[in-house]
Amino acid sequence: MLVRIRPGAELSGAEREFVACLRSYPTTGLAVIDLEADNRRVDAVVWTPRGLTVLEVHGFQRRQSGILSTPAEGPWKISDAPVELDDPESGSPAERVEHGIYAVKHMLQRALQDPGHISGAVVLVPFRGAVVRPARTNLRPGLDVVVGNVTDATELRIYLEGFSAGPRDWTADRVVGACGALGLAEIAPARDELLEAGFEDHAPEPVTTIARTPKPRVEPKPGAPTKSQAYAGWSVVVIAVVGILFVLGVIATALAHDSAQPIPATGTTSPTPAPPSHRPTECFPFQRNC
């Protein structure tokens, strides 16, 4: 990681330890130590290809070890003992980080630079050999607390490598422009140096959704029948054949029975009526219908 310190800066022992940690990281990034933004001192500003973070660095007045509790209201404590930071007159570390974030963002916007999302963190640097672990690393949304020194810098490195999950929007040109907006043009690295450190020349294009070609539908093929299925199929066939033979037998029996019975005669035994005998009618002269 590239590290630049403002000329004439008077760093505390914790800040020098913090600078040694940054210089040992192979992470792509640029850290500017001890800058002034809107008449406010900011301990450190760190750019990576994925984001920008403002850091407030604090050491301890004496060796303290234990679990760090950071309540929203009230003093911070380590194992129920008040935290004794090296700069107790500076006020709440969390509030100082928030003021630093606002100052950096305001200066970038005033220079027509897009600051994007700016994160922030309080970096606590204990004495070497002392072990301090935060009960929770997140103070507020976008604001964390991490612990790190030369012998125990894992948490600080994890934070710097993953504090921003956004795309790789901070290119070399954008970092150069932001440094100019913050008045850091004299100490900022050149564009070629940023490219060599790992910053990109151009922001990668956003990934577009590629339409997927539907796969051809494959009709399922029936598998080989099992023995039970084969027996069941043959049983159905045998039952069907027996049923057909039974029906044919019933039809044949009915036909044979009908052909064995004689056909009854169709003549009648009732006598044929004889026509009535005709008798001549005597007619009188001038008788009608006669």
Side-chain angles (χ1 to χ4, degrees):
M1 177 176 289
L2 299 175
V3 180
R4 296 291 185 270
I5 303 175
R6 182 182 61 83
E10 297 181 359
L11 303 183
S12 64
E15 290 172 338
R16 290 194 295 269
E17 187 93 358
F18 171 70
V19 170
C21 289
L22 296 180
R23 285 176 171 165
S24 66
Y25 294 158
T27 306
T28 299
L30 168 64
V32 178
I33 310 300
D34 193 13
L35 66 150
E36 186 175 317
D38 272 1
N39 299 322
R40 176 178 295 275
R41 183 181 185 274
V42 177
D43 289 346
V45 174
V46 178
W47 285 272
T48 69
R50 295 186 181 275
L52 169 62
T53 184
V54 175
L55 303 178
E56 184 76 13
V57 182
H58 287 279
F60 292 82
Q61 295 183 12
R62 61 182 181 86
R63 184 181 299 274
Q64 287 186 284
S65 298
I67 302 300
L68 172 67
S69 59
T70 56
E73 301 293 338
W76 292 4
K77 294 183 178 181
I78 295 180
S79 298
D80 296 331
V83 174
E84 299 182 19
L85 300 179
D86 57 358
D87 190 8
E89 303 297 331
S90 61
S92 170
E95 292 181 357
R96 287 180 58 87
V97 173
E98 289 183 331
H99 292 321
I101 292 173
Y102 177 80
V104 171
K105 185 175 183 179
H106 183 253
M107 287 192 67
L108 292 177
Q109 290 176 339
R110 190 169 55 192
L112 302 181
Q113 297 284 335
D114 180 18
H117 174 70
I118 302 179
S119 303
V122 177
V123 180
L124 299 181
V125 183
F127 283 82
R128 295 189 182 185
V131 179
V132 176
R133 289 292 179 266
R136 61 186 181 94
T137 59
N138 183 258
L139 300 176
R140 299 167 194 169
L143 186 61
D144 297 285
V145 56
V146 293
V147 177
N149 53 24
V150 172
T151 59
D152 186 11
T154 302
E155 292 183 8
L156 178 59
R157 178 175 178 177
I158 292 175
Y159 170 78
L160 293 176
E161 292 180 352
F163 69 85
S164 177
R168 298 172 65 89
D169 289 337
W170 282 97
T171 61
D173 291 332
R174 189 179 176 189
V175 172
V176 170
C179 288
L182 294 175
L184 306 173
E186 295 182 359
I187 62 174
R191 181 176 183 275
D192 294 339
E193 191 174 357
L194 291 173
L195 293 175
E196 185 178 356
F199 285 93
E200 297 183 0
D201 189 6
H202 301 284
E205 296 181 359
V207 179
T208 56
T209 304
I210 302 175
R212 297 183 178 180
T213 304
K215 296 182 179 180
R217 183 178 179 181
V218 179
E219 296 294 337
K221 296 181 179 180
T226 60
K227 291 184 178 181
S228 59
Q229 292 175 342
Y231 293 153
W234 281 111
S235 300
V236 172
V237 172
V238 171
I239 293 173
V241 171
V242 172
I244 293 173
L245 294 176
F246 178 75
V247 173
L248 293 177
V250 171
I251 295 173
T253 303
L255 292 176
H257 180 71
D258 291 342
S259 62
Q261 294 181 356
I263 301 175
T266 58
T268 180
T269 57
S270 59
T272 302
S277 60
H278 177 71
R279 292 182 181 181
T281 305
E282 295 181 357
C283 299
F284 298 98
F286 305 104
Q287 185 180 354
R288 292 183 179 183
N289 299 329
C290 181

